[in-house]
Amino acid sequence: MEHLVSSWCNGRSLPESYILPPEKRPGKLTVPLANNIPVIDLRGHDQTDLIQQILEACQEFGFFQVINHGVPSNLMDEAMSVFKEFHALSAKDKAIETSKDPSKSCHIYTSSPNYATEKFHFWRDGLVHHCNPLEKYIQFWPEKPPRYREVVGPYTAEVSKLGFRILEFISQGLGISLGGLGGNQALVVNHYPPCPDPSLTLGLGKHMDPVFINILLQSDVYGLQVFKDEEWIGVEPIPNAFVVNVGYPLQIISNGKLKGAEHRVVTNSNVARTTASYFINPSNETLIEPAKSLVDASYPALYKSLLYKDFLIKYIAASTDSKALEEALRATV
């Protein structure tokens, strides 16, 4: 736990291992906030209109925000509060609270799961725990802060319902079935302490999520940027909204109709930022391939068929090199 950024960062200059190569640095710290990333109101539209809005957002951006989504705002606030309280614990307490399951269904790491072998580090600590089935995994979740399980259990149940509702809209819009594909669900609570030099490092590097969708509670502190049309645009925090983004497996299943958006996280020198990502993933044995109904002579399969566990091997091997990953997954003509 001595490596956790939050345990040593106060008052220190940026260590050399966190200074990114020039081509990977954030460049301009101020990028335009994207007022054109769709904000979709899940209440007050007929279903056909909602499906169309979500599909268009997934095709053009791979990102959108949702409001009036059904998750109580007081539950969102309470969850964010306990997430911040957890990351404010001592390194010793964090170690105790995340080491109850020998299979590591709940764990904490810094920078990335590849900290020991990566060439440079990112400015973040991450708490990860499985959420489905809740009755199996909640026993391994943190008991400090004292309200963690009491608050986060209902929170993840509500966000899961929202995620599957959105996936159902997407499947209807594409005319395919995604039933039974969301076997694994996990919560990732990232914490980005104030950084001594945000121009030299990142909280998270450029990447595409290896999941179906990510439902992100991004708090009120800006930091998320999306790569679109060869430039970075900022995603403005909206009170009581969730940010939703398409992951690479859904891009494959849609045969490229949907866009898995590349994104990154920038840091700032003034305030800490805490976020919570709810990942809906395929199970390891799920076959990831273009849906049969979306493939024909005019629209051949763009991607290979492979098990999700094999997809993850290729994803990890490519690291943050999106072109290498695309080449590894493309179908041979």
Side-chain angles (χ1 to χ4, degrees), residues 86-136:
F86 172 83
H87 277 292
L89 295 174
S90 69
K92 180 181 178 182
D93 279 344
K94 289 175 191 170
I96 294 170
E97 294 303 316
T98 57
S99 56
K100 298 167 184 173
D101 183 4
S103 68
K104 297 187 176 180
S105 65
C106 178
H107 61 278
I108 191 168
Y109 60 86
T110 194
S111 180
S112 83
N114 304 317
Y115 180 89
T117 57
E118 63 194 13
K119 294 177 181 177
F120 43 80
H121 304 315
F122 294 109
W123 194 260
R124 70 139 178 183
D125 297 332
L127 164 68
V128 183
H129 57 67
H130 293 191
C131 300
N132 180 55
L134 186 62
E135 59 272 15
K136 175 180 179 180

Side-chain angles (χ1 to χ4, degrees), residues 25-324:
R25 294 175 192 172
K28 292 187 300 182
L29 289 177
T30 55
V31 301
L33 285 177
N35 55 15
N36 57 342
I37 286 183
V39 178
I40 299 175
D41 188 341
L42 295 186
R43 186 178 64 198
H45 297 277
D46 67 50
Q47 186 159 306
T48 303
D49 185 36
L50 267 181
I51 290 171
Q52 187 62 31
Q53 287 187 53
I54 290 172
L55 211 59
E56 288 177 358
C58 291
Q59 289 168 336
E60 184 177 357
F61 291 91
F63 261 83
F64 56 95
Q65 301 204 56
V66 291
I67 58 174
N68 294 321
H69 39 64
V71 181
S73 58
N74 64 320
L75 184 57
M76 296 168 69
D77 292 341
E78 288 178 3
M80 181 54 69
S81 178
V82 296
F83 295 149
K84 291 178 178 178
E85 288 174 38
F86 172 83
H87 277 292
L89 295 174
S90 69
K92 180 181 178 182
D93 279 344
K94 289 175 191 170
I96 294 170
E97 294 303 316
T98 57
S99 56
K100 298 167 184 173
D101 183 4
S103 68
K104 297 187 176 180
S105 65
C106 178
H107 61 278
I108 191 168
Y109 60 86
T110 194
S111 180
S112 83
N114 304 317
Y115 180 89
T117 57
E118 63 194 13
K119 294 177 181 177
F120 43 80
H121 304 315
F122 294 109
W123 194 260
R124 70 139 178 183
D125 297 332
L127 164 68
V128 183
H129 57 67
H130 293 191
C131 300
N132 180 55
L134 186 62
E135 59 272 15
K136 175 180 179 180
Y137 289 114
I138 195 169
Q139 63 184 308
F140 303 121
W141 292 7
E143 293 177 277
K144 288 183 181 180
R147 297 184 306 129
Y148 191 93
R149 296 180 183 180
E150 172 191 337
V151 171
V152 180
Y155 171 80
T156 57
E158 290 293 327
V159 177
S160 177
K161 285 193 292 186
L162 171 62
F164 280 101
R165 184 184 174 199
I166 292 170
L167 278 175
E168 178 60 25
F169 286 145
I170 291 172
S171 66
Q172 289 185 40
L174 291 172
I176 64 174
S177 173
L178 292 172
L181 294 183
N184 293 331
Q185 298 164 48
L187 185 73
V188 181
V189 183
N190 285 323
H191 182 69
Y192 309 93
C195 178
D197 195 338
S199 69
L200 297 178
T201 193
L202 287 166
L204 268 176
K206 181 182 179 183
H207 70 287
M208 195 184 299
D209 289 334
V211 302
F212 278 145
I213 57 171
N214 173 18
I215 312 293
L216 173 72
L217 178 62
Q218 78 158 336
S219 79
D220 57 351
V221 180
Y222 163 74
L224 176 62
Q225 296 181 346
V226 181
F227 196 61
K228 186 178 189 303
D229 299 330
E230 299 301 313
E231 68 173 359
W232 290 103
I233 52 178
V235 181
E236 184 175 8
I238 297 176
N240 301 320
F242 285 101
V243 180
V244 181
N245 69 276
V246 171
Y248 213 131
L250 202 49
Q251 177 174 308
I252 293 172
I253 290 170
S254 72
N255 203 31
K257 292 182 182 297
L258 305 186
K259 177 181 179 182
E262 292 181 303
H263 52 287
R264 69 181 185 183
V265 174
V266 295
T267 62
N268 74 80
S269 57
N270 300 315
V271 292
R273 179 174 182 262
T274 302
T275 66
S277 288
Y278 193 84
F279 289 148
I280 298 180
N281 310 296
S283 61
N284 283 337
E285 301 302 320
T286 298
L287 188 63
I288 304 299
E289 64 179 354
K292 298 285 192 292
S293 61
L294 300 179
V295 175
D296 57 28
S298 300
Y299 298 97
L302 298 178
Y303 299 98
K304 300 173 183 175
S305 299
L306 71 172
L307 295 176
Y308 182 60
K309 63 183 180 182
D310 296 324
F311 164 84
L312 285 177
I313 291 171
K314 292 182 183 297
Y315 179 89
I316 293 167
S319 186
T320 56
D321 188 340
S322 58
K323 290 182 179 177

